[in-house]
């Protein structure tokens, strides 16, 4: 088994790529690559957010919403569900409460 196949894909991310019958809507390799991209971005944003002074940039909610707005923009390369997942993951890493996010499948379904 290659190292690539040993990457754990959390259910919260897999849910972004499952249909009503719980089948993946994209090839597993593509889902795995998108997960790695999203998780890496959340880790990088964690470092970025920690280096920011919350007092200079508004509340934690406002900062998370700004990150989400950037990720949800069409030119970002992320779909709305991935954008919401990245920001929710970031809030977990930071230990911050996450605001309701547009495009969040958990919120809409």
């Amino acid at each position: 088994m290659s190292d690539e196949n040993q990457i754990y894909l959390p259910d919260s991310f897999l849910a972004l790529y499952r249909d009503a019958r719980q089948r993946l809507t994209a090839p597993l390799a593509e889902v795995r690559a998108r997960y790695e991209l999203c998780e890496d971005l959340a880790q990088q944003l964690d470092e970025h957010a920690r280096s920011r002074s919350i007092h200079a940039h508004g509340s934690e909610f406002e900062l998370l919403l700004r990150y989400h707005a950037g990720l949800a923009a069409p030119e970002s390369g992320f779909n709305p569900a991935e954008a919401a997942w990245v920001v929710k993951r970031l809030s977990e890493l930071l230990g911050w409460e996450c605001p309701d996010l547009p495009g969040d499948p958990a919120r809409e379904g």
Side-chain angles (χ1 to χ4, degrees), residues 12 39 46 50 64 85-98:
S12 63
E39 178 65 25
D46 175 25
R50 288 181 193 279
L64 291 172
W85 189 90
V86 169
V87 173
K88 288 170 74 174
R89 176 67 176 128
L90 173 61
S91 71
E92 290 174 1
L93 294 169
L94 293 166
W96 296 353
E97 186 177 343
C98 189

Side-chain angles (χ1 to χ4, degrees), residues 51-106:
S51 71
R52 294 291 221 211
S53 166
I54 296 302
H55 301 293
H57 298 285
S59 72
E60 294 170 353
F61 271 29
E62 289 169 345
L63 188 58
L64 291 172
L65 287 170
R66 265 186 268 166
Y67 283 135
H68 181 263
L71 291 170
E75 62 273 8
S76 75
F78 293 91
N79 67 46
E82 288 173 335
W85 189 90
V86 169
V87 173
K88 288 170 74 174
R89 176 67 176 128
L90 173 61
S91 71
E92 290 174 1
L93 294 169
L94 293 166
W96 296 353
E97 186 177 343
C98 189
D100 286 337
L101 302 168
D104 181 1

Side-chain angles (χ1 to χ4, degrees), residues 27-43:
L28 183 57
E30 180 181 327
V31 174
R32 185 177 289 118
R34 295 302 295 175
Y35 167 72
E36 289 183 63
L37 178 67
C38 290
E39 178 65 25
D40 288 349
L41 181 58
Q43 295 288 337

